[in-house]
Every structure is written in structure tokens, then in C-alpha cells.
Amino acid sequence: MGFLPSIFKKVKKKDDDEKKDHKGLIIFRSVKETIGAEKILKGYSIRVVAPPPEIREGCDLALEYDMVEEIGIKRELERNNLKPLKFIPLSDPSLRPLELIKVKEFNDGSIMVRCGNMKITVDRKGNILNISGGGCPDVPYLTLKLKGRNILEIPEGETPKELGYTLCAYTLNKSFEEAKKIIKDI
Amino acid sequence: MIVAGTLPMEGLDLIMERGKLIKNRIVLGNMKFPISMGTGALIGASIKVHEYFGEELPEVITAGDIGIGDGSLKIYRHLREVRDDLLVIHYIKPKISEIKEIDFSPKIVADAGGMYAAKAAGIGDKFHLFLPDVGELAFLADEKASHPAYVRGFISEVDDREVPELIKRTYGNRMPRYMVVKGERDYIVRDEDILDRVENPKIETMECIGGTGDTLTGIISSLINCGYKTEKACILGCKVNRTLGEIVNPTPKTQIDELIFQIPKALEVLNL
């Protein structure tokens, strides 16, 4: 009976491989384009993943998609004037952007929200007091653009994911969205 | 000492100048910049330390970049030949192919994008000092991660008490001889051994002020440049940065320039 688990493992592995066979990656020129495409392709089975190591530069994103949907996706991207660099079969997308959020409240009631390496601090009215962390060049830029403004009044077109270009901006956007949610609920 | 990093100004061409501080502006040649978080805060802190010790002010190599990578590329290309013995690389778009081509003859301190690029390229051991926070330490420890946003869950979910274990793991991935892990408690590391811990004074609000990590990098690098041995500079730098918090008594609204202007006082408090 000892051989059964290994058979199950093989069957499971085969299933996993088959699942992968149906998936592909869409590679874009920049994180900004990837984020834009993610938004446009909301109705499709897509998710943000790391590009394969051989083409990775340290700060990029790719979209995993179901290859069955390729034509529709291509059409949708064309309609929106987005031109991916390439569509490739899925190789090793085990790495996905961080989702873990941590929240800290200070004595004066201010709230700091952290996702990965990016932190945003707001007062209880939603005024952005400070942004910290990160290492990509758009973080200081986003800080200049957002600090001092009220998080509830920032239009969709001026959020970190719309103004930024890198993974740091993408991560900051997660902190931003969570902070906005917290302030709305107060 | 050379400070290399981007500033968030669209279209700003490459600048190579000795930095000065006039009121609350960084002056490079005939251009003025605000002391904001990022490379700006590092430049500000470095100038203050050099002024205090009466040393020649650091040279700044910068270019405008809002995340596209244009200014970063200009800086990388310029770093292929470096005429100084201490280089600090700060906010820059990580680019594996470019970081591999820089001149490694000086001692190189890397933080922010400079550190991300070095780790992603697998060449951390060519550097002298990294300054990660706990989140970035997890990135350095994860051999598969190419950016702090991609750290695998079982590593990223560690808490501050597990930092020593994470430091050990990090050194499996080609790290610099020295490392300062900044956080609630700062760890000073040499060749994977923790040499010292600095945890007082504890100022909780420092964590949310954008630029406190940047000032730490600026202070430590400047102390090295002003003659302190790296180990000593790291320990003192952590103490100086914390003393700034004690002097300013910041709130979550405090801005980084308020802290930078107190650097001479903090150095004095510590009898440096």
C-alpha cells in the first residue's frame, strides 16, 4: 500500500502541469502598462505574477491569463491601445505580489497602514500625513503628489497605481486602498 | 563620498555637483530641490554630518526620475567609472543588467533601489553595506524574490523577534560584509554575526515619517567618510538617528526636514 501516495502525488502533479498548460503570461514594457491592462481585463481570468527570471529586471510585473481567453484579451488590449511585448506559456509564476497588510494606530489616533515595504499614514479625517518605505524612484514622486491631501478626495486617476510605474507604487496602492477603506469606516 | 540617486523631477538631466543646504533647500549648482523623503533626505543628512565635522561636502550624482527609469539609466551609466573611494547608491529603478556594469572599486553602500538591484542581480557580496528594514530583510532572505513586493509569505510574515534568524538566512544569498537592519530595534551585522543592537531611545512615531531610513543611511555613510570605522559608524549612526527623534519629539505629521536640521545637535549630544 506504500506506493499509493506516490501515485496520488504523480496524478496531482500531472493535474498541476495540465493546469499550467492552459496558462500563459503577458509581458508588458512597464509596470504601469501591466497595471493598466489588469484594470482593463477585469472580466477575464487574469492575475498579477512575477515575470520569469530570465527576463526579470528586478521591478516588473506580468499578467497570468487563461490561454483560452487569448483572442478576447488581445482584442481588449488593442481596443485600449495597449501593446504587450509578448504572450508566453507559463513557466514559473510561483511568486506573486504581497497581499499582507498591517495596521498600527498611534496615540493621537493617526493610522499607519503597511503593505510589504510601503507605509502610508493618515489622520482620522483621512489627511495623508506621511508616506515611507520603498526604493523605486516613483515613491518620492508619489509622496510629493499625495502628501497633505485627503485620501477620500483623491480621484481614481491620481491614485498610486495610476500615477506610479513600479512595484513599489503597486504595493503603496494596496496600503492606500486599505487606509481609504479604514477612514471610510470610521 | 558620492551620493547617487534619483530625484522626483520629470525631465531633470544628469547633475554632478557638490551638494549644499540653503535654508530648507538642497542646492546643486544653480538648481534648488526640496528636502523630501528619498535621495533628498539622504543628501540633506549627509551634508549636515559633513558640515559638522568640517569635511568637504559630498558630491551628488542625480537625475530626474518619476519611475519610468530614464534618470536611473543615466545614473547607472555614469557609475561605470567612479572617482571616489565611497559611493552611496540610493533611490534608483532596479535594473539587473545595469547594476552589474557599475564600477566596484570604491566601497559601496546601497539602500533602497540600489540595494534591491544588487540583491536581484545576486551581487550583494560586491557591496560594503546594506541597510534594509525588516520587510526588506525578508526580501534579502528570500532567494527567489527579485523585489520586496514578491517575498514569499512564509518569509514575509516573520515578526521582529525572528530578525536574527532571518539575518542568518540572508547571508546564504551573497550579502555585503556589513548590514544594518533598521526597525524597532536596530541590528548591526558583520559577516552574518550580530555585533550590536541599538534600541534606545524608542520613538514610535519615527517609523511612519518618510525619510527616517534615508537619514540613517546618510548619517552612517557620512560617518564612514569622516573617518569612523564601519562598525562604529553603524552603531553611532543608529544612535544619532534615534537621538534626533528624542530631540524633535515627532508626531505622525512631522516632516523629515525637521529631523535633518537637528543632526548637529544630536551629534553634539553624543559627544561626537
Side-chain angles (χ1 to χ4, degrees), chain A residues 72-98:
Chain A
I73 287 173
K74 280 184 172 166
R75 188 172 50 239
E76 202 64 45
L77 293 174
E78 266 172 36
R79 256 187 217 153
N80 287 278
N81 219 13
L82 272 170
K83 292 178 184 134
L85 289 174
K86 53 184 154 185
F87 288 72
I88 54 174
L90 191 60
S91 53
D92 179 21
S94 58
L95 300 168
R96 275 183 290 156
L98 280 175

Side-chain angles (χ1 to χ4, degrees), chain A residues 29-31 48-51 53 56-62 92 94-100 102 104-108 110-112 114 116-123 128-144 147 163-168 170-171, chain B residues 6-10 34 36-39 65-69 72 90-98 111-114 116-117 120 133-136 142 144-153 156-159 184 204-211 214 251-256:
Chain A
R29 222 172 302 275
S30 69
V31 172
V48 175
V49 295
R56 208 178 286 163
E57 275 287 16
C59 185
D60 3 41
L61 286 170
D92 179 21
S94 58
L95 300 168
R96 275 183 290 156
L98 280 175
E99 299 287 344
L100 186 72
K102 286 186 177 172
K104 188 171 181 175
E105 192 173 334
F106 293 99
N107 288 339
D108 69 350
S110 304
I111 296 153
M112 181 179 78
R114 175 164 87 88
N117 58 336
M118 293 306 315
K119 292 166 259 188
I120 187 165
T121 305
V122 292
D123 67 17
I128 299 173
L129 306 178
N130 260 302
I131 289 172
S132 66
C136 295
D138 46 2
V139 176
Y141 173 69
L142 290 168
T143 303
L144 290 178
K147 205 169 61 181
L163 294 181
Y165 294 85
T166 69
L167 275 172
C168 288
Y170 186 83
T171 315
Chain B
T6 58
L7 286 171
M9 326 281 284
E10 211 168 352
S36 53
M37 67 91 72
T39 310
D65 198 330
I66 60 165
I68 299 167
S72 298
H90 205 222
Y91 274 73
I92 196 162
K93 194 163 182 181
K95 197 94 177 146
I96 292 172
S97 52
E98 291 296 328
D111 186 22
Y116 300 177
D133 63 19
V134 178
E136 290 167 333
D142 187 344
K144 284 199 167 184
S146 59
H147 188 279
Y150 281 131
V151 181
R152 285 173 292 170
S156 69
E157 284 159 29
V158 295
D159 67 29
E184 234 175 271
E204 208 192 9
T205 44
M206 290 283 275
E207 191 188 355
C208 68
I209 299 169
D214 309 322
T251 69
K253 203 179 176 180
T254 300
Q255 299 302 306
I256 195 62

Side-chain angles (χ1 to χ4, degrees), chain B:
Chain B
M1 169 172 139
I2 294 175
V3 175
T6 58
L7 286 171
M9 326 281 284
E10 211 168 352
L12 176 72
D13 208 356
L14 191 75
I15 297 177
M16 292 156 291
E17 291 282 352
R18 300 234 166 245
K20 280 186 286 189
L21 275 186
I22 298 181
K23 293 185 180 165
N24 59 348
R25 288 274 188 273
I26 295 165
V27 180
L28 299 172
N30 56 4
M31 300 196 74
K32 291 179 182 172
F33 306 94
I35 309 174
S36 53
M37 67 91 72
T39 310
L42 188 151
I43 296 168
S46 304
I47 292 172
K48 280 288 173 195
V49 176
H50 281 79
E51 278 177 353
Y52 181 84
F53 288 108
E55 295 286 339
E56 186 180 38
L57 299 180
E59 186 184 347
V60 176
I61 298 176
T62 190
D65 198 330
I66 60 165
I68 299 167
D70 49 346
S72 298
L73 196 61
K74 288 175 188 165
I75 296 172
Y76 279 123
R77 297 279 158 90
H78 196 78
L79 295 181
R80 289 184 176 188
E81 200 184 325
V82 178
R83 288 192 199 121
D84 207 303
D85 50 12
L86 182 63
L87 168 67
V88 186
I89 308 179
H90 205 222
Y91 274 73
I92 196 162
K93 194 163 182 181
K95 197 94 177 146
I96 292 172
S97 52
E98 291 296 328
I99 195 83
K100 284 179 173 172
E101 297 298 322
I102 66 165
D103 182 353
F104 288 99
S105 57
K107 278 182 183 167
I108 308 179
V109 175
D111 186 22
M115 179 173 70
Y116 300 177
K119 192 272 174 177
I123 54 169
D125 53 351
K126 290 188 170 188
F127 290 71
H128 185 64
L129 169 67
F130 278 178
L131 297 106
D133 63 19
V134 178
E136 290 167 333
L137 181 71
F139 154 64
L140 297 178
D142 187 344
E143 67 279 6
K144 284 199 167 184
S146 59
H147 188 279
Y150 281 131
V151 181
R152 285 173 292 170
F154 70 97
I155 297 176
S156 69
E157 284 159 29
V158 295
D159 67 29
D160 289 1
R161 284 168 301 181
E162 292 163 287
V163 168
E165 215 174 292
L166 216 52
I167 289 171
K168 288 272 177 218
R169 187 184 169 112
T170 297
Y171 272 85
N173 297 334
R174 292 189 173 181
M175 287 295 119
R177 181 153 200 225
Y178 294 96
M179 193 183 287
V180 172
V181 182
K182 54 206 179 195
E184 234 175 271
R185 177 186 287 158
D186 302 322
Y187 295 83
I188 291 86
V189 182
R190 184 186 61 205
D191 296 326
E192 84 177 77
D193 293 324
I194 296 168
L195 299 175
D196 209 343
R197 293 169 169 84
V198 180
E199 52 191 310
N200 287 306
K202 267 197 178 78
I203 314 288
E204 208 192 9
T205 44
M206 290 283 275
E207 191 188 355
C208 68
I209 299 169
T212 49
D214 309 322
T215 55
L216 180 64
T217 302
I219 292 166
I220 291 176
S221 309
S222 301
L223 289 173
I224 295 171
N225 200 45
C226 291
Y228 286 89
K229 286 198 168 153
T230 302
E231 294 170 27
K232 187 84 179 155
C234 292
I235 297 166
L236 286 173
C238 293
K239 288 181 179 169
V240 171
N241 217 39
R242 285 168 179 271
T243 305
L244 288 177
E246 195 172 46
I247 294 167
V248 173
N249 192 20
T251 69
K253 203 179 176 180
T254 300
Q255 299 302 306
I256 195 62
D257 54 346
E258 292 177 52
L259 292 154
I260 288 172
F261 284 108
Q262 297 303 328
I263 287 176
K265 197 170 174 187
L267 292 165
E268 214 175 287
V269 168
L270 292 165
N271 294 319
L272 298 177

